[in-house]
Short mmCIF file of all heavy atoms in Angstrom, two decimals:
data_model
loop_
_atom_site.label_atom_id
_atom_site.label_comp_id
_atom_site.label_asym_id
_atom_site.label_seq_id
_atom_site.Cartn_x
_atom_site.Cartn_y
_atom_site.Cartn_z
N ASN A 207 36.27 -27.78 228.45
CA ASN A 207 35.10 -28.65 228.46
C ASN A 207 33.92 -28.01 227.75
O ASN A 207 33.16 -28.68 227.05
CB ASN A 207 34.73 -29.00 229.90
CG ASN A 207 35.73 -29.95 230.55
OD1 ASN A 207 36.47 -30.63 229.84
ND2 ASN A 207 35.75 -30.01 231.86
N THR A 208 33.76 -26.70 227.97
CA THR A 208 32.67 -25.99 227.28
C THR A 208 32.85 -26.05 225.78
O THR A 208 31.89 -26.31 225.04
CB THR A 208 32.63 -24.53 227.75
OG1 THR A 208 32.40 -24.48 229.16
CG2 THR A 208 31.52 -23.77 227.04
N ALA A 209 34.10 -25.82 225.33
CA ALA A 209 34.38 -25.90 223.89
C ALA A 209 34.13 -27.31 223.37
O ALA A 209 33.59 -27.50 222.27
CB ALA A 209 35.82 -25.47 223.61
N LEU A 210 34.52 -28.32 224.19
CA LEU A 210 34.32 -29.70 223.78
C LEU A 210 32.83 -30.02 223.67
O LEU A 210 32.38 -30.66 222.72
CB LEU A 210 34.99 -30.64 224.78
CG LEU A 210 34.89 -32.15 224.49
CD1 LEU A 210 35.53 -32.46 223.14
CD2 LEU A 210 35.55 -32.95 225.60
N ILE A 211 32.06 -29.53 224.67
CA ILE A 211 30.61 -29.76 224.64
C ILE A 211 30.00 -29.08 223.42
O ILE A 211 29.14 -29.65 222.74
CB ILE A 211 29.98 -29.24 225.94
CG1 ILE A 211 30.40 -30.12 227.12
CG2 ILE A 211 28.44 -29.21 225.83
CD1 ILE A 211 29.99 -29.59 228.47
N ASN A 212 30.46 -27.85 223.14
CA ASN A 212 29.94 -27.15 221.96
C ASN A 212 30.27 -27.91 220.69
O ASN A 212 29.44 -28.00 219.76
CB ASN A 212 30.52 -25.74 221.90
CG ASN A 212 29.98 -24.85 223.00
OD1 ASN A 212 28.90 -25.11 223.55
ND2 ASN A 212 30.70 -23.79 223.34
N THR A 213 31.50 -28.46 220.63
CA THR A 213 31.89 -29.23 219.45
C THR A 213 31.04 -30.48 219.31
O THR A 213 30.59 -30.82 218.21
CB THR A 213 33.38 -29.62 219.55
OG1 THR A 213 34.17 -28.42 219.62
CG2 THR A 213 33.80 -30.43 218.33
N ILE A 214 30.81 -31.16 220.45
CA ILE A 214 29.97 -32.36 220.41
C ILE A 214 28.56 -32.02 219.98
O ILE A 214 27.95 -32.72 219.16
CB ILE A 214 29.97 -33.04 221.80
CG1 ILE A 214 31.35 -33.61 222.11
CG2 ILE A 214 28.92 -34.15 221.86
CD1 ILE A 214 31.51 -34.14 223.52
N ASN A 215 28.04 -30.91 220.52
CA ASN A 215 26.70 -30.49 220.12
C ASN A 215 26.64 -30.17 218.63
O ASN A 215 25.67 -30.50 217.95
CB ASN A 215 26.27 -29.26 220.93
CG ASN A 215 26.00 -29.60 222.38
OD1 ASN A 215 25.74 -30.75 222.72
ND2 ASN A 215 26.07 -28.60 223.26
N GLU A 216 27.73 -29.53 218.13
CA GLU A 216 27.77 -29.20 216.70
C GLU A 216 27.83 -30.48 215.87
O GLU A 216 27.17 -30.59 214.83
CB GLU A 216 28.99 -28.32 216.42
CG GLU A 216 29.15 -27.92 214.96
CD GLU A 216 28.05 -27.01 214.47
OE1 GLU A 216 27.36 -26.39 215.32
OE2 GLU A 216 27.85 -26.92 213.24
N GLN A 217 28.61 -31.45 216.35
CA GLN A 217 28.69 -32.72 215.63
C GLN A 217 27.33 -33.43 215.63
O GLN A 217 26.91 -33.97 214.60
CB GLN A 217 29.74 -33.62 216.27
CG GLN A 217 31.16 -33.11 216.09
CD GLN A 217 32.17 -33.94 216.84
OE1 GLN A 217 31.81 -34.81 217.63
NE2 GLN A 217 33.45 -33.68 216.62
N GLN A 218 26.67 -33.42 216.79
CA GLN A 218 25.36 -34.08 216.87
C GLN A 218 24.35 -33.37 215.96
O GLN A 218 23.55 -34.04 215.29
CB GLN A 218 24.87 -34.07 218.32
CG GLN A 218 25.68 -34.99 219.23
CD GLN A 218 25.26 -34.86 220.68
OE1 GLN A 218 24.62 -33.89 221.07
NE2 GLN A 218 25.63 -35.84 221.48
N ARG A 219 24.42 -32.03 215.94
CA ARG A 219 23.51 -31.27 215.07
C ARG A 219 23.78 -31.62 213.61
O ARG A 219 22.85 -31.85 212.82
CB ARG A 219 23.71 -29.77 215.28
CG ARG A 219 22.79 -28.90 214.42
CD ARG A 219 23.23 -27.45 214.46
NE ARG A 219 24.50 -27.28 213.78
CZ ARG A 219 24.64 -27.20 212.46
NH1 ARG A 219 23.60 -27.31 211.68
NH2 ARG A 219 25.84 -27.03 211.93
N PHE A 220 25.06 -31.70 213.26
CA PHE A 220 25.43 -32.00 211.89
C PHE A 220 25.01 -33.43 211.51
O PHE A 220 24.48 -33.67 210.43
CB PHE A 220 26.94 -31.82 211.71
CG PHE A 220 27.42 -32.15 210.34
CD1 PHE A 220 27.16 -31.31 209.28
CD2 PHE A 220 28.12 -33.32 210.10
CE1 PHE A 220 27.59 -31.60 208.01
CE2 PHE A 220 28.56 -33.63 208.83
CZ PHE A 220 28.30 -32.77 207.79
N GLN A 221 25.26 -34.37 212.44
CA GLN A 221 24.90 -35.76 212.16
C GLN A 221 23.39 -35.92 212.00
O GLN A 221 22.92 -36.65 211.14
CB GLN A 221 25.42 -36.67 213.27
CG GLN A 221 26.95 -36.81 213.26
CD GLN A 221 27.48 -37.62 214.41
OE1 GLN A 221 26.70 -38.10 215.23
NE2 GLN A 221 28.78 -37.78 214.47
N HIS A 222 22.65 -35.21 212.84
CA HIS A 222 21.19 -35.26 212.72
C HIS A 222 20.74 -34.74 211.35
O HIS A 222 19.86 -35.32 210.71
CB HIS A 222 20.54 -34.42 213.83
CG HIS A 222 19.05 -34.32 213.72
ND1 HIS A 222 18.21 -35.37 214.02
CD2 HIS A 222 18.25 -33.29 213.31
CE1 HIS A 222 16.95 -34.99 213.81
NE2 HIS A 222 16.96 -33.74 213.39
N ALA A 223 21.38 -33.65 210.91
CA ALA A 223 21.03 -33.08 209.60
C ALA A 223 21.37 -34.06 208.47
O ALA A 223 20.61 -34.21 207.51
CB ALA A 223 21.75 -31.76 209.38
N VAL A 224 22.52 -34.75 208.63
CA VAL A 224 22.93 -35.68 207.58
C VAL A 224 22.01 -36.90 207.54
O VAL A 224 21.67 -37.40 206.47
CB VAL A 224 24.40 -36.10 207.78
CG1 VAL A 224 24.78 -37.21 206.82
CG2 VAL A 224 25.30 -34.91 207.59
N VAL A 225 21.61 -37.39 208.73
CA VAL A 225 20.66 -38.51 208.76
C VAL A 225 19.36 -38.10 208.10
O VAL A 225 18.75 -38.86 207.33
CB VAL A 225 20.43 -38.98 210.21
CG1 VAL A 225 19.28 -39.98 210.26
CG2 VAL A 225 21.70 -39.61 210.77
N SER A 226 18.90 -36.89 208.36
CA SER A 226 17.69 -36.39 207.71
C SER A 226 17.88 -36.33 206.20
O SER A 226 16.98 -36.66 205.42
CB SER A 226 17.34 -34.99 208.24
OG SER A 226 17.10 -35.04 209.63
N LEU A 227 19.08 -35.92 205.79
CA LEU A 227 19.40 -35.86 204.37
C LEU A 227 19.37 -37.25 203.74
O LEU A 227 18.85 -37.44 202.64
CB LEU A 227 20.79 -35.24 204.18
CG LEU A 227 21.37 -35.22 202.77
CD1 LEU A 227 20.43 -34.52 201.81
CD2 LEU A 227 22.73 -34.54 202.80
N ALA A 228 19.89 -38.25 204.46
CA ALA A 228 19.88 -39.62 203.93
C ALA A 228 18.46 -40.10 203.70
O ALA A 228 18.14 -40.68 202.67
CB ALA A 228 20.61 -40.55 204.90
N THR A 229 17.62 -39.83 204.68
CA THR A 229 16.23 -40.24 204.56
C THR A 229 15.53 -39.52 203.42
O THR A 229 14.73 -40.10 202.68
CB THR A 229 15.48 -39.96 205.88
OG1 THR A 229 16.17 -40.61 206.94
CG2 THR A 229 14.06 -40.46 205.82
N ALA A 230 15.85 -38.24 203.25
CA ALA A 230 15.16 -37.41 202.26
C ALA A 230 15.54 -37.78 200.83
O ALA A 230 14.70 -37.75 199.94
CB ALA A 230 15.45 -35.94 202.51
N VAL A 231 16.81 -38.13 200.62
CA VAL A 231 17.26 -38.31 199.25
C VAL A 231 17.40 -39.76 198.82
O VAL A 231 17.70 -40.05 197.67
CB VAL A 231 18.62 -37.60 199.02
CG1 VAL A 231 18.53 -36.15 199.38
CG2 VAL A 231 19.74 -38.29 199.79
N SER A 232 17.20 -40.71 199.77
CA SER A 232 17.45 -42.11 199.44
C SER A 232 16.52 -42.63 198.35
O SER A 232 16.85 -43.58 197.67
CB SER A 232 17.32 -42.98 200.70
OG SER A 232 16.01 -42.86 201.23
N ALA A 233 15.36 -41.99 198.18
CA ALA A 233 14.42 -42.47 197.16
C ALA A 233 14.57 -41.74 195.84
O ALA A 233 13.84 -42.01 194.89
CB ALA A 233 12.99 -42.30 197.68
N GLU A 234 15.54 -40.80 195.79
CA GLU A 234 15.69 -39.99 194.58
C GLU A 234 16.73 -40.60 193.65
O GLU A 234 17.58 -41.39 194.05
CB GLU A 234 16.12 -38.56 194.97
CG GLU A 234 15.18 -37.86 195.93
CD GLU A 234 13.89 -37.41 195.27
OE1 GLU A 234 13.78 -37.55 194.04
OE2 GLU A 234 13.00 -36.93 195.98
N ASN A 235 16.68 -40.21 192.39
CA ASN A 235 17.63 -40.67 191.40
C ASN A 235 18.11 -39.50 190.55
O ASN A 235 17.45 -38.47 190.45
CB ASN A 235 17.00 -41.72 190.48
CG ASN A 235 16.73 -43.03 191.20
OD1 ASN A 235 17.63 -43.80 191.44
ND2 ASN A 235 15.46 -43.26 191.55
N GLY A 236 19.31 -39.67 189.96
CA GLY A 236 19.80 -38.73 188.98
C GLY A 236 19.83 -37.29 189.44
O GLY A 236 20.32 -36.99 190.52
N GLU A 237 19.31 -36.40 188.63
CA GLU A 237 19.35 -34.97 188.93
C GLU A 237 18.56 -34.64 190.19
O GLU A 237 18.91 -33.73 190.94
CB GLU A 237 18.82 -34.18 187.74
CG GLU A 237 19.71 -34.24 186.52
CD GLU A 237 19.19 -33.35 185.41
OE1 GLU A 237 18.19 -32.64 185.65
OE2 GLU A 237 19.79 -33.37 184.32
N ALA A 238 17.46 -35.35 190.42
CA ALA A 238 16.68 -35.10 191.63
C ALA A 238 17.52 -35.34 192.88
O ALA A 238 17.45 -34.60 193.86
CB ALA A 238 15.43 -35.99 191.65
N PHE A 239 18.33 -36.39 192.86
CA PHE A 239 19.23 -36.68 193.97
C PHE A 239 20.22 -35.53 194.19
O PHE A 239 20.44 -35.08 195.31
CB PHE A 239 19.98 -37.97 193.69
CG PHE A 239 21.15 -38.21 194.60
CD1 PHE A 239 20.97 -38.71 195.88
CD2 PHE A 239 22.45 -37.90 194.19
CE1 PHE A 239 22.04 -38.91 196.72
CE2 PHE A 239 23.52 -38.10 195.03
CZ PHE A 239 23.32 -38.62 196.30
N LEU A 240 20.83 -35.06 193.11
CA LEU A 240 21.83 -34.01 193.22
C LEU A 240 21.22 -32.70 193.72
O LEU A 240 21.83 -31.99 194.52
CB LEU A 240 22.53 -33.80 191.88
CG LEU A 240 23.37 -34.98 191.38
CD1 LEU A 240 23.92 -34.69 190.01
CD2 LEU A 240 24.49 -35.30 192.36
N ARG A 241 20.03 -32.38 193.24
CA ARG A 241 19.37 -31.15 193.72
C ARG A 241 19.06 -31.26 195.20
O ARG A 241 19.30 -30.32 195.96
CB ARG A 241 18.08 -30.90 192.92
CG ARG A 241 18.32 -30.43 191.49
CD ARG A 241 17.04 -29.84 190.91
NE ARG A 241 15.97 -30.84 190.86
CZ ARG A 241 15.74 -31.65 189.82
NH1 ARG A 241 16.53 -31.57 188.75
NH2 ARG A 241 14.74 -32.53 189.84
N ARG A 242 18.51 -32.41 195.60
CA ARG A 242 18.17 -32.58 197.02
C ARG A 242 19.43 -32.58 197.88
O ARG A 242 19.47 -32.01 198.96
CB ARG A 242 17.40 -33.89 197.20
CG ARG A 242 16.84 -34.09 198.62
CD ARG A 242 15.74 -33.07 198.94
NE ARG A 242 14.61 -33.25 198.05
CZ ARG A 242 13.60 -34.08 198.30
NH1 ARG A 242 13.61 -34.82 199.40
NH2 ARG A 242 12.59 -34.18 197.47
N LEU A 243 20.47 -33.23 197.38
CA LEU A 243 21.75 -33.26 198.11
C LEU A 243 22.30 -31.86 198.32
O LEU A 243 22.73 -31.48 199.40
CB LEU A 243 22.75 -34.10 197.35
CG LEU A 243 24.21 -34.04 197.85
CD1 LEU A 243 24.30 -34.58 199.27
CD2 LEU A 243 25.13 -34.83 196.93
N THR A 244 22.30 -31.04 197.27
CA THR A 244 22.84 -29.68 197.36
C THR A 244 22.07 -28.85 198.37
O THR A 244 22.65 -28.14 199.21
CB THR A 244 22.80 -28.99 195.99
OG1 THR A 244 23.48 -29.81 195.03
CG2 THR A 244 23.48 -27.64 196.05
N ALA A 245 20.75 -28.93 198.32
CA ALA A 245 19.92 -28.15 199.25
C ALA A 245 20.16 -28.57 200.68
O ALA A 245 20.35 -27.74 201.57
CB ALA A 245 18.45 -28.31 198.88
N HIS A 246 20.20 -29.88 200.94
CA HIS A 246 20.37 -30.34 202.31
C HIS A 246 21.80 -30.14 202.80
O HIS A 246 22.04 -29.96 204.00
CB HIS A 246 19.97 -31.81 202.41
CG HIS A 246 18.48 -32.00 202.49
ND1 HIS A 246 17.79 -32.02 203.67
CD2 HIS A 246 17.56 -32.15 201.51
CE1 HIS A 246 16.50 -32.21 203.43
NE2 HIS A 246 16.33 -32.28 202.12
N MET A 247 22.77 -30.20 201.89
CA MET A 247 24.16 -29.92 202.28
C MET A 247 24.28 -28.49 202.79
O MET A 247 24.89 -28.24 203.84
CB MET A 247 25.08 -30.13 201.08
CG MET A 247 26.55 -29.73 201.34
SD MET A 247 27.57 -29.89 199.87
CE MET A 247 26.86 -28.59 198.84
N ALA A 248 23.70 -27.54 202.07
CA ALA A 248 23.75 -26.14 202.50
C ALA A 248 23.05 -25.98 203.84
O ALA A 248 23.54 -25.28 204.74
CB ALA A 248 23.10 -25.25 201.45
N GLU A 249 21.92 -26.66 204.02
CA GLU A 249 21.19 -26.56 205.28
C GLU A 249 21.99 -27.14 206.43
O GLU A 249 22.08 -26.55 207.52
CB GLU A 249 19.85 -27.28 205.16
CG GLU A 249 19.03 -27.26 206.45
CD GLU A 249 17.75 -28.06 206.33
OE1 GLU A 249 17.44 -28.54 205.21
OE2 GLU A 249 17.06 -28.23 207.34
N ALA A 250 22.61 -28.31 206.21
CA ALA A 250 23.38 -28.97 207.26
C ALA A 250 24.55 -28.13 207.72
O ALA A 250 24.93 -28.16 208.90
CB ALA A 250 23.87 -30.34 206.77
N LEU A 251 25.16 -27.36 206.83
CA LEU A 251 26.33 -26.55 207.16
C LEU A 251 25.98 -25.09 207.41
O LEU A 251 26.86 -24.25 207.53
CB LEU A 251 27.37 -26.65 206.03
CG LEU A 251 27.94 -28.05 205.81
CD1 LEU A 251 28.84 -28.07 204.60
CD2 LEU A 251 28.69 -28.53 207.04
N SER A 252 24.66 -24.79 207.49
CA SER A 252 24.21 -23.41 207.74
C SER A 252 24.76 -22.45 206.69
O SER A 252 25.15 -21.32 207.00
CB SER A 252 24.59 -22.95 209.15
OG SER A 252 24.02 -23.78 210.12
N ALA A 253 24.84 -22.91 205.45
CA ALA A 253 25.36 -22.09 204.36
C ALA A 253 24.20 -21.49 203.57
O ALA A 253 23.16 -22.11 203.40
CB ALA A 253 26.23 -22.94 203.44
#
């Protein structure tokens, strides 16, 4: 159960980061979109 809770928390953390990413990049186009996507992808995955 602890592992499951940790996994759920990790999923929620990841989903929150992705929703933030959607909001951040939805107004961008072209290269600006790709740069923002790359930065937020690394942040969402703690890379």
Side-chain angles (χ1 to χ4, degrees):
N207 288 341
T208 299
L210 181 60
I211 291 171
N212 291 337
T213 300
I214 292 172
N215 290 338
E216 180 66 19
Q217 291 174 352
Q218 291 174 342
R219 181 192 68 80
F220 178 73
Q221 290 176 0
H222 175 74
V224 172
V225 171
S226 299
L227 174 56
T229 304
V231 304
S232 60
E234 304 286 354
N235 291 283
E237 292 185 4
F239 167 80
L240 294 176
R241 287 196 299 270
R242 187 67 63 88
L243 170 62
T244 305
H246 281 270
M247 174 184 67
E249 178 184 354
L251 297 174
S252 300

